[in-house]
Amino acid sequence: MNSDIEERAVRLAQYIVENGATVRAAAKKFGVSKSTVHKDLTERLDKTHPILYRQAKAVLEQNKAERHLRGGEATRIKYKGK
């Protein structure tokens, strides 16, 4: 694997773990697509940094479980001002 891609995967995972960030937030911060973030974390990181992979996966699972709450909150805020 290209070392640049491996390094990006590590930096993405560290950012997500340290900040509890979503895939969307990490993609925006690093200027890559959500698909790239997801692929880096689920496919590439597992082979090279298994401990960091498990930590990032835990944050992603938590975000996935809470996403319906964040979406509902965003809709509430959107229509509250009208």
Side-chain angles (χ1 to χ4, degrees), residues 41-61:
L41 296 179
T42 59
E43 295 179 16
R44 296 180 175 130
L45 196 63
D46 185 25
K47 297 175 180 114
T48 57
H49 296 84
I51 295 171
L52 185 57
Y53 164 76
R54 285 192 295 275
Q55 292 172 339
K57 183 175 170 133
V59 173
L60 294 179
E61 290 296 323

Side-chain angles (χ1 to χ4, degrees), residues 29-46:
K29 169 83 174 164
F30 287 88
V32 295
S33 71
K34 294 182 300 182
S35 299
T36 299
V37 173
H38 191 265
K39 185 167 185 152
D40 281 354
L41 296 179
T42 59
E43 295 179 16
R44 296 180 175 130
L45 196 63
D46 185 25

Side-chain angles (χ1 to χ4, degrees), residues 8-21:
R8 180 185 65 208
V10 170
R11 286 187 291 128
L12 283 165
Q14 288 171 338
Y15 177 77
I16 287 174
V17 170
E18 290 170 4
N19 298 296

